[in-house]
Amino acid sequence: MPRPRFLLAIPAWAWLVTFFVLPVATVVYFSFGYKPGLFGTHATDVLSLDRYREALSPTFFTTFINTLRVGILGTLICLLIAIPMAYWMAVKVSPNRRVFLLALVIVPFWTNFLVRTIGWQVILAPEGWLSGLLQSVGLRDGPLAILYTRPAVLLGVVYNYLPLMILPLFVAFDRVGPALREASKDLGADRWRTFTQVTLPMARPGIIAGVLLVFIPLMGDYITATVLGGARGNMVGQLVASQFQAAQNWALGSAMAVLLILVIAVTVLVGAAMAYLVSWPFARHRRLRLADLPPAEART
Amino acid sequence: MTDAPQDPAPTVPTGAGPRGSSGERGRAGAVELIGVTKRFGHAVAVDRLDLAIEPGEFIALLGPSGCGKTTTLRMIAGFEHPDEGEIRISGEGVRGVPPHRRHVNTVFQNYSLFPHMNVAENVAYGLHQQRTPRAEIRERVAEALDMVQMRSFADRKPAQMSGGQQQRVALARALVNKPSVLLLDEPLGALDRQLREEMQIELKLLQSRLGTTFVFVTHDQHEALSMGDRIAIMRAGRIEQLDTADEVYARPASAFVAGFVGQQNFIEGTLGADGLVHAGPVRLRSTRRTETEQVRPGRVRAAIRPEYVSLGPATAEGGPTENSVSGRLAGVAHLGETMQFVVEVPASIGTTSLVSRIPTPAAPSVRTGTTVTASWSSDSVHLFAPDRAPAGTATTDPVPS
C-alpha cells in the first residue's frame, strides 16, 4: 500500500503553522483591540479598526514612506553591486579562488548583526577615524556628519544585506555555465549581448530570490535604523518595536505590523508588475510565430 | 609572432588540386591551419599542426580523447587562441578575431540550446544578432526548421524535446546563419546507435546539398569513415594521416592509424635481409610496396586485417610456412553478416590471439577447441616501423592523392 505523499510535508506544515500562521493570526487579532490602561498591554473585548486609524496618522505615514524608500533604494543598490560581483565570481574567477571569495562574503555573518552595525557607528562617528582621515586629507572641512542620517541607514542596510543578494545571484550565474555563453558568442553575440540575452534572463529566478531575500527583511529591520539612523532614520520596524517595548501598546504595534506586511506585499506585487512591463517589449521583440507562415512546399 | 614553421618545410596536405592558383582571398569556406600549437600549462594539446581544408569539404577529425581534436575545433571557432602558428578562414587570418565576429558556427556536443527560448527563438538568435529584418528572420527560421524537419516543434522549449530533436534544432540554429564553415563537436555522441546512423546519413546529404565546409570532430571511426570526404587521424596533437576513407583504411600511414581505424592483428617481429619478417616460428612476407620501402631491417610491426585472414584445417606437422600460423580455435562469434574466429597463437609473435573475420556464407564450420591454420596473402600484410614516439616526426600524408 503506497504511503500518502503528504507525510513528508508534515514537518514543514507543523513548522509553518506554529511559527508563522499562529503568531501572525495573533498579531492580526491584537491589532483590532486596544490598550486598556497604563499597565495593560492589550485587550480584545471590544474590537475596532481604531488602531489602524491611529497608525495611519501623518507622523506614522511619513515613517512608512521613509521605510519604503530605504527598502527600495537599499535593494536596488544591493542589486547593482551584487550583479557585477556575483557575475565576476561565477564566471571570471578560477574555481580555487572562488571558494575563498565566497568565504569572504559569508564571514561577516559569523559576527553578530548588532555588533557589526555598531562597528559602522564607530567608523562613521564625527570624532571617528574616517572623519579624521577625510579632514586631514582635506576632503572635508568639518567633522563627518553622516551618522544618524538616512544615508547612514542606507549604507548600513546595504552592508548588512548585500551577502543575501550576492549568494543567490552567484548560484544563478554559476548555473548558466560556460557552454551557453559560448553558444551565444558563436552565434554572433558579443559579451554584452550575451549577458543581456542569455545570462541575465537565465539568472532571473536567482535575481528574484535575491531581491526578496533583501527587500523583505530590510523593510522590517529596526536594528540598523536604530543604531545608525537615530531619530531621523525612523523606520516602521522601529515604531513597531517601540510600541511593543517602550509604549507597551501591543494593539497599536500589531496594527502597524499588519500594515507593514500589507505594504511589503503590495510593493512586491507592484515591483513584479513593473519588472514584467519592462521586460515585455524585449520578450515581444524576440518572439517569433511561424504558425501563419505557409509550409515549405507551398512557398516554392 | 608568426613563427614560420621550421624545416623540413611543411607540406600542407591538400585534397584536391594545387593550392597555388586558388589565392588568398575569395576562398569562402577554406580553412587553413599552419604550424598551430596550443599549450595548456605544460601540456601540449595541439603540436605544430598543419591542415588545409578545401571549401565545401567534409573533414572528419578522428582520434582518441585527448588527441587535440576538440582543441583544434575550438581554435577555429575562436574559443581558444593558438600559442603559435596561424589560422586562416576563407583565406583570411583570424588572429585576435573573437568568436562572434567569425563567419563560423558550431554544433556543440551537448547541443547548448538556450533553455529560456523556444525552438524558433533559438534558431532566430544568430539572425537577431546580425539585425536581420523581422520578415527575413521568419522566412529563414522556417526554412532552417524545414531543412531538419523540425518546423512543427517551433513553439517547444528545448526541455520538451528528445536528444535527437534537440540535435536537429542545434543544427538548424547553426546553419540558418549560412556560415562559411560549420564546426561539429561530436554532435552525435549522445544519441543512441540507430538515431546516430540516421543522422550520419542526413548530415552527409545536407552537407552535399548546401556545399558548406563541415569540420566534424569524432572519436568514432565509423562516423568518420562514413561521413568524411577526408579523415584527419589525430594523435597527441598532430595529424598522423589525412586522407580519404579508402586510403586511410587500405593504406594506413602508421601502426597507430592502422590500429585505430578498423581492427588489426598486430604481429611483432624482425625484418631480415631476406625480406621476410621473423616472428617466433612464423615467417611473414609482405608484397605491399610503399610500406615495405619505409621500413628498414630490424624490429618491425606487421598488421593484417581480420577480413584478410582465412581459416583452414591444421596442416601436417612440419616447418613453418610463410604467412600462416596454426593454433587452437578459442572462440567463434556470430556478428550477423560476418563470423569472427579467434585463434590462439604462440605468444612469441607478439600477440596471443589472431582474429579472422569471414562472411557468414563462406565461413568454414570448425569447432571450438580444434586446431586450425590461419593464413593470409602477402599483399594484405602491412609493415610498420616500431611505434614512434608521438611527439616525434609524425608523418602526414605519405601518399599524396
Side-chain angles (χ1 to χ4, degrees):
Chain A
M1 185 186 128
R3 237 168 294 173
R5 272 179 296 177
F6 65 80
L7 274 179
L8 286 173
I10 283 181
W13 278 109
W15 194 88
L16 207 61
V17 168
T18 316
F19 297 107
F20 177 72
V21 176
L22 289 179
V24 170
T26 313
V27 166
V28 172
Y29 181 57
F30 283 178
S31 71
F32 297 118
Y34 61 97
K35 181 173 167 66
L38 197 53
F39 300 106
T41 55
H42 64 287
T44 46
D45 49 325
V46 181
L47 297 180
S48 70
L49 285 171
D50 292 348
R51 286 328 124 238
Y52 287 95
R53 218 161 289 140
E54 251 180 84
L56 286 171
S57 70
T59 352
F60 291 110
F61 195 72
T62 319
T63 312
F64 264 118
I65 294 295
N66 185 37
T67 308
L68 207 54
R69 191 185 293 152
V70 171
I72 291 171
L73 219 54
T75 307
L76 284 180
I77 294 172
C78 280
L79 194 62
L80 286 179
I81 297 174
I83 285 178
M85 168 128 187
Y87 183 81
W88 174 68
M89 288 197 325
V91 175
K92 305 282 179 190
V93 173
S94 75
N96 305 332
R97 286 173 55 209
R98 195 176 294 164
V99 178
F100 174 71
L101 285 166
L102 277 175
L104 280 188
V105 172
I106 297 168
V107 158
F109 279 125
W110 296 357
T111 317
N112 180 283
F113 188 86
L114 182 61
V115 173
R116 276 184 287 141
T117 312
I118 290 173
W120 275 105
Q121 208 174 28
V122 175
I123 295 170
L124 297 179
E127 62 279 10
W129 62 265
L130 183 63
S131 175
L133 185 75
L134 289 176
Q135 287 178 77
S136 63
V137 176
L139 283 171
R140 272 197 73 89
D141 292 334
L144 199 60
I146 190 175
L147 192 62
Y148 306 128
T149 61
R150 270 185 214 146
V153 176
L154 208 54
L155 194 143
V157 294
V158 168
Y159 164 76
N160 276 329
Y161 292 98
L162 189 58
L164 293 176
M165 186 69 92
I166 291 176
L167 292 179
L169 278 184
F170 167 78
V171 173
F173 286 141
D174 189 46
R175 280 181 53 185
V176 176
L180 291 178
R181 287 193 298 274
E182 277 185 357
S184 168
K185 286 174 192 165
D186 190 74
L187 292 165
D190 59 21
R191 225 178 284 175
W192 174 249
R193 292 173 138 227
T194 297
F195 180 73
T196 54
Q197 295 178 39
V198 175
T199 311
L200 213 51
M202 287 196 60
R204 200 169 63 174
I207 295 171
I208 293 171
V211 165
L212 292 180
L213 273 176
V214 168
F215 178 72
I216 293 172
L218 200 162
M219 287 292 285
D221 182 18
Y222 70 97
I223 294 178
T224 315
T226 309
V227 174
L228 297 176
R232 269 178 292 177
N234 264 353
M235 286 182 59
V236 176
Q238 278 172 292
L239 287 185
V240 175
S242 71
Q243 287 306 326
F244 272 92
Q245 288 163 358
Q248 295 279 303
N249 189 344
W250 290 18
L252 184 56
S254 295
M256 288 173 175
V258 171
L259 283 174
L260 183 59
I261 292 171
L262 290 177
V263 167
I264 290 173
V266 168
T267 311
V268 167
L269 287 177
V270 169
M274 276 172 62
Y276 180 77
L277 281 180
V278 168
S279 65
W280 188 72
F282 296 101
R284 193 183 133 78
H285 172 71
R286 218 182 53 205
R287 216 169 59 210
L288 197 65
R289 289 206 58 80
L290 302 178
D292 47 332
L293 213 63
E297 311 85 66
R299 286 187 292 134
T300 47
Chain B
M1 34 142 215
T2 26
D3 212 288
Q6 292 88 10
D7 53 312
T11 45
V12 179
T14 51
R19 274 177 69 236
S21 59
S22 40
E24 267 60 50
R25 291 188 59 94
R27 305 216 321 143
V31 178
E32 289 150 284
L33 286 85
I34 302 149
V36 170
T37 296
K38 176 68 188 175
R39 298 182 199 90
F40 294 109
H42 292 295
V44 180
V46 173
D47 185 15
R48 288 164 289 160
L49 185 93
D50 294 316
L51 174 64
I53 300 167
E54 296 294 315
E57 203 175 11
F58 196 134
I59 283 272
L61 299 183
L62 173 67
S65 58
C67 71
K69 55 193 193 299
T70 295
T71 305
T72 304
L73 199 76
R74 288 174 59 81
M75 285 193 288
I76 300 173
F79 297 128
E80 308 285 354
H81 303 285
D83 294 316
E84 283 162 37
E86 200 194 343
I87 296 175
R88 288 193 209 137
I89 298 171
S90 303
E92 284 179 51
V94 291
R95 176 184 300 280
V97 179
H100 68 269
R101 299 231 307 273
R102 295 189 183 194
H103 202 210
V104 164
N105 286 113
T106 308
V107 177
F108 295 91
Q109 189 168 10
N110 299 314
Y111 326 132
S112 291
L113 296 178
F114 303 121
H116 60 297
M117 301 180 193
N118 67 24
V119 166
E121 290 162 358
N122 261 286
V123 176
Y125 189 85
L127 299 175
H128 270 305
Q129 308 314 318
Q130 296 162 33
R131 307 196 186 283
T132 313
R134 275 187 81 79
E136 193 190 333
I137 289 182
R138 255 164 48 108
E139 290 279 336
R140 282 172 68 177
V141 168
E143 195 184 320
L145 285 176
D146 283 337
M147 190 169 63
V148 294
Q149 292 132 48
M150 288 297 289
R151 174 81 169 272
S152 53
F153 290 80
D155 295 328
R156 295 259 193 116
K157 286 278 174 74
Q160 298 167 313
M161 297 189 297
S162 71
Q165 292 164 339
Q166 292 187 44
Q167 188 53 71
R168 287 158 184 273
V169 174
L171 196 61
R173 185 178 70 168
L175 285 174
V176 76
N177 305 295
K178 298 192 164 68
S180 321
V181 181
L182 185 75
L183 308 174
L184 302 104
D185 185 9
E186 306 219 16
L188 311 180
L191 305 182
D192 62 57
R193 214 188 74 160
Q194 204 173 349
L195 198 56
R196 196 160 65 215
E197 282 168 4
E198 280 173 36
M199 283 297 288
Q200 285 173 13
I201 296 166
E202 269 187 58
L203 271 177
K204 185 68 192 167
L205 288 173
L206 202 59
Q207 191 266 343
S208 58
R209 189 150 54 87
L210 297 173
T212 307
T213 309
F214 274 34
V215 184
F216 189 100
V217 159
T218 180
H219 63 264
D220 180 343
Q221 46 155 318
H222 295 294
E223 224 163 76
L225 289 173
S226 70
M227 287 194 289
D229 292 332
R230 285 189 301 160
I231 298 157
I233 291 125
M234 290 187 67
R235 178 200 197 184
R238 310 215 61 176
I239 293 177
E240 291 256 318
Q241 187 169 5
L242 174 69
D243 227 321
T244 61
D246 289 349
E247 286 295 316
V248 164
Y249 194 82
R251 276 183 279 281
S254 69
F256 173 78
V257 174
F260 195 78
V261 178
Q263 224 182 327
Q264 289 285 7
N265 292 298
F266 282 114
I267 294 175
E268 309 281 348
T270 311
L271 181 63
D274 54 356
L276 290 176
V277 177
H278 302 255
V282 182
R283 302 282 172 275
L284 291 99
R285 180 184 292 281
S286 171
T287 50
R288 297 197 69 89
R289 300 292 311 160
T290 44
E291 285 80 12
T292 333
E293 278 162 9
Q294 285 178 351
V295 178
R296 290 191 204 88
R299 297 295 300 169
V300 291
R301 176 177 260 201
I304 307 136
R305 293 215 183 268
E307 59 264 37
Y308 290 109
V309 177
S310 55
L311 287 188
T315 49
E317 287 299 312
T321 52
E322 275 176 20
N323 289 343
S324 78
V325 60
S326 295
R328 198 180 68 91
L329 184 64
V332 181
H334 205 303
L335 304 180
E337 49 283 33
T338 60
M339 301 276 282
Q340 180 171 288
F341 301 88
V342 179
V343 182
E344 271 180 13
V345 292
S348 56
I349 70 170
T351 177
T352 53
S353 63
L354 208 66
V355 177
S356 162
R357 216 176 277 157
I358 300 168
T360 306
S365 53
V366 279
R367 284 217 321 278
T368 310
T370 57
T371 303
V372 292
T373 297
S375 59
W376 53 88
S377 65
S378 57
D379 61 355
S380 63
V381 180
H382 292 255
L383 295 185
F384 300 102
D387 206 7
R388 285 176 293 265
T393 50
T395 351
T396 43
D397 193 355
V399 192
S401 51

